[in-house]
Amino acid sequence: MKLYPIEAGNFKLDGGAMFGVVPKTIWNKTNPADENNLIDIAARCLLIEKENRLILIDTGMGNKQSDKFFGYYSLWGNHSLDKSLAKYGFHRDEITDVFMTHLHFDHCGGCVNWNKDKSGYEVAFKNAKYWTNEGHWNWATNPNPREKASFLSENILPIQESGQLNFIYKTACDYEFSPELGFNILFVDGHTEKMMLPHILYKGKIILFCADLIPTAGHLPLPYVMGYDTRPLLTLPEKAEILKLAAENNYYLFLEHDAHNEIITVEKTEKGIRLKEVFKCEDILI
């Protein structure tokens, strides 16, 4: 098995929304805001090369939305999914599986592209199986008013229409092994219904793909929960349990949204679980 970081782009989000009830005077120390109160955000995906499989975890925003839409998110930098794949010698047509932690637009927008004449949409990975779970799919395709703006039908429905949609079925346990994909999956419900976190054993290390449970290194303290979370009081115990395990077992936390800290470890301190070390992806993965 080999792992590769895939940088699908950078954007900005409102710092207040990203830190919920935490005052700016506190979060601004770790995630400094610009003059518009926006903080730097990454869309850092992960590619797993395993035998004859190429499994891509999340796909970023994609590029099919309007200039007005992207204007809300202040895109910056030169990263793109295709350039990042090419850096490691891969092409999107070689991807065999696309695993979606959840279906918010900044995680699955790259799953679907315009067709050639922009008259409709087509899946961006024509040879891949797309993986979600039935509970989250139903949640995303019948969205509540609070999350409706994050679940865009053009990012989601073409996957089903293509016939490439597959479900990972959850049992009563929140921790499952996926025989199809070859890694463990942790289900969490605080951010959105049945978000899936890949838990990967790699070269004797445990790599946890944190998705939106721990978006940046600045979110390690337990009360630092995003305003975007649908069930913040559920995020708290979910996050507490994961950070406890991470500190006790030296997990390497792969941060999807931290533009400046790619992989971190944590440790127990008098103030709770806090940052231990910061790594570049190439130090751990490649």
Side-chain angles (χ1 to χ4, degrees):
M1 179 192 291
K2 295 182 180 179
L3 302 182
Y4 307 91
I6 301 299
E7 301 283 356
N10 293 105
F11 55 104
K12 291 178 179 282
L13 288 174
D14 183 86
M18 285 297 291
F19 284 91
V21 299
V22 181
K24 180 179 180 179
T25 52
I26 297 176
W27 60 253
N28 199 57
K29 296 174 183 177
T30 57
N31 297 70
D34 66 14
E35 64 278 6
N36 295 313
N37 208 49
L38 302 176
I39 65 172
D40 292 347
I41 298 292
R44 182 175 300 111
C45 310
L46 183 63
L47 182 67
I48 302 173
E49 182 183 16
K50 185 177 181 182
E51 298 171 352
N52 61 343
R53 307 282 286 276
L54 282 176
I55 304 165
L56 181 62
I57 300 173
D58 282 353
T59 62
M61 280 193 187
N63 57 15
K64 66 183 175 300
Q65 304 302 326
S66 67
D67 290 342
K68 180 180 179 180
F69 178 92
F70 286 127
Y72 295 135
Y73 300 100
S74 301
L75 305 187
W76 59 278
N78 298 313
H79 291 309
S80 76
L81 191 148
D82 284 316
K83 286 195 294 186
S84 194
L85 286 173
K87 175 181 176 180
Y88 300 110
F90 301 113
H91 186 274
R92 64 173 57 235
D93 291 349
E94 298 175 284
I95 301 299
T96 61
D97 301 88
V98 176
F99 177 92
M100 299 168 286
T101 61
H102 61 300
L103 294 166
H104 287 168
F105 68 85
D106 55 320
H107 294 258
C108 76
C111 289
V112 175
N113 286 340
W114 286 109
N115 60 16
K116 288 185 178 180
D117 60 6
K118 290 193 174 184
S119 61
Y121 303 104
E122 61 186 15
V123 290
F125 302 92
K126 63 182 182 181
N127 298 313
K129 293 181 177 180
Y130 285 76
W131 296 93
T132 184
N133 64 80
E134 192 169 17
H136 184 65
W137 179 265
N138 292 336
W139 181 269
T141 53
N142 297 281
N144 60 76
R146 192 170 186 275
E147 281 185 282
K148 189 173 182 179
S150 294
F151 292 127
L152 305 181
S153 60
E154 61 267 32
N155 289 336
I156 299 172
L157 297 183
I159 300 171
Q160 184 180 49
E161 293 162 1
S162 73
Q164 294 167 239
L165 177 65
N166 292 264
F167 289 145
I168 292 167
Y169 288 95
K170 180 182 180 299
T171 65
C173 182
D174 285 331
Y175 188 79
E176 302 279 352
F177 176 73
S178 169
E180 303 95 342
L181 300 172
F183 53 77
N184 292 312
I185 298 167
L186 179 69
F187 289 80
V188 290
D189 297 292
H191 179 62
T192 188
E193 179 78 5
K194 301 294 178 292
M195 183 168 70
M196 299 189 291
L197 309 183
H199 181 279
I200 304 163
L201 181 61
Y202 179 66
K203 295 183 178 180
K205 303 179 181 71
I206 295 174
I207 311 293
L208 181 69
F209 189 97
C210 291
D212 280 346
L213 181 67
I214 306 169
T216 78
H219 286 83
L220 290 176
L222 289 183
Y224 292 30
V225 173
M226 292 191 294
Y228 300 112
D229 284 18
T230 60
R231 306 179 182 105
L233 294 181
L234 184 53
T235 296
L236 287 172
E238 290 175 341
K239 187 172 161 185
E241 178 62 20
I242 286 295
L243 288 175
K244 179 176 180 290
L245 290 171
E248 291 175 349
N249 298 284
N250 199 39
Y251 287 6
Y252 289 81
L253 304 179
F254 185 99
L255 301 179
E256 184 168 13
H257 280 322
D258 195 319
H260 307 293
N261 302 287
E262 299 174 2
I263 294 176
I264 63 171
T265 56
V266 295
E267 62 184 349
K268 187 176 180 180
T269 74
E270 292 180 355
K271 294 183 177 180
I273 305 297
R274 294 293 186 267
L275 181 66
K276 182 180 179 182
E277 293 183 273
V278 178
F279 300 92
K280 292 289 188 182
C281 286
E282 57 261 29
D283 297 332
I284 302 299
L285 303 184
I286 302 172

